[in-house]
Amino acid sequence: MGKAIAIDGPSASGKSSVSKGVAAALGFIYVDSGALYRGVTWQAIRKGVDTKNAAAVVESMHNAEWDFFVQEGAAVFSVDGDVPVQELREKDVREAVADVAAVPEVRRFVVENLQSLENFGSLVMEGRDIGTVVFPDSPYKFYLDADPEERAMRRYRELVAAGEDEKAHEVMDSLKKRDQIDATRKADPLKVAPGAQVIDSTSMGLDEVIQSVIDVVKGAL
Ligand code: DC
């Protein structure tokens, strides 16, 4: 069985860049767990399912054909033969995903699939509940945080770079709303896992954060 490095934290805390950097440096497989919640949301939307209707979302999720594989050092999935990537970042998915991710049956499905990825090898997995629920026994747990203003600025820059026409204050509002849903939902809310190393990246550079994760992991290996 491979190792699993868990990197949790709120939206736009730098988890993706850090997790990708750590995975590349250690030769581990990078896993974006949020992509799977987005994938469940996306397949529901494209089938015309109302994402506020939990039972309907769960039914279409179970009726879909899911497949997992590794491509260029990252775990990816297909749904009914399609591999969504850009689609997962679109506004309709972004706005509905927090509700979908709050459905216990969706979480059970996603968590089981995430756990099975260990069969592919050692992982760096980013998310909200990786250290608390998906790999609670992992000795390598991190909780990445940053001030809300800094996170909103980072997300805003990402969206603008991706050609999205967003306003900074709208990004801040939607980030706050998502933080609120993620942290207060009944099923597996975002929280610091026991034994997790907390890293506040507000005034740290990306390479510095990546190195501090690698130092802790190497020290523990
Ligand atoms: O990290 P992200 O923005 O792609 O996450 C999308 C949504 O999925 C967000 O509302 C939080 C949720 N999520 C979750 O509940 N648990 C995870 N392990 C990862 C993401």
Side-chain angles (χ1 to χ4, degrees):
M1 203 59 111
K3 297 176 187 51
I5 299 177
I7 303 192
D8 291 306
S11 301
S13 56
K15 295 187 304 284
S16 301
S17 311
V18 171
S19 303
K20 283 178 194 161
V22 172
L26 297 175
F28 286 15
I29 299 162
Y30 163 68
V31 189
D32 172 8
S33 67
L36 201 42
Y37 290 99
R38 289 170 183 263
V40 173
T41 308
W42 175 73
Q43 62 80 36
I45 292 173
R46 80 164 168 169
K47 285 186 208 150
V49 170
D50 173 9
T51 51
K52 297 256 181 214
N53 182 341
V57 170
V58 168
E59 194 191 341
S60 80
M61 173 184 82
H62 284 311
N63 286 336
E65 177 75 28
W66 299 85
D67 209 7
F68 294 83
F69 50 101
V70 175
Q71 203 170 53
E72 292 170 11
V76 275
F77 62 89
S78 63
V79 200
D80 296 323
D82 292 318
V83 181
V85 179
Q86 264 321 106
E87 294 87 339
L88 303 180
R89 305 283 140 198
E90 281 166 9
K91 196 166 181 179
D92 51 352
V93 171
R94 193 177 350 130
E95 287 180 348
V97 65
D99 288 323
V100 171
V103 177
E105 185 78 19
V106 170
R107 303 202 67 81
R108 202 155 34 235
F109 171 83
V110 170
V111 168
E112 282 173 12
N113 280 297
L114 293 173
Q115 288 168 337
S116 76
L117 296 177
E118 256 194 323
N119 296 323
F120 288 128
S122 293
L123 313 172
V124 180
M125 190 177 289
E126 62 152 302
R128 304 291 190 292
D129 62 342
I130 311 307
T132 51
V133 179
V134 182
F135 295 118
D137 298 331
S138 168
Y140 321 108
K141 298 181 197 171
F142 299 87
Y143 186 94
L144 211 56
D145 210 348
D147 289 346
E149 291 75 18
E150 173 65 19
R151 292 193 287 115
M153 268 323 289
R154 289 178 189 173
R155 179 53 51 92
Y156 174 69
R157 280 188 230 115
E158 269 170 29
L159 290 170
V160 170
E164 298 242 5
D165 182 23
E166 297 281 327
K167 298 194 173 52
H169 72 271
E170 285 173 7
V171 175
M172 184 78 193
D173 288 349
S174 102
L175 203 69
K176 276 188 178 152
K177 204 159 95 194
R178 211 128 67 85
D179 281 355
Q180 170 78 6
I181 299 177
D182 290 342
T184 58
R185 68 172 178 230
K186 284 205 188 71
D188 312 331
L190 173 67
K191 57 173 190 259
V192 181
Q197 169 116 3
V198 179
I199 301 175
D200 184 332
S201 72
T202 307
S203 52
M204 285 171 86
L206 175 60
D207 289 342
E208 210 181 330
V209 182
I210 292 173
Q211 197 53 50
S212 64
V213 171
I214 292 172
D215 288 345
V216 172
V217 173
K218 287 218 166 126
L221 279 176

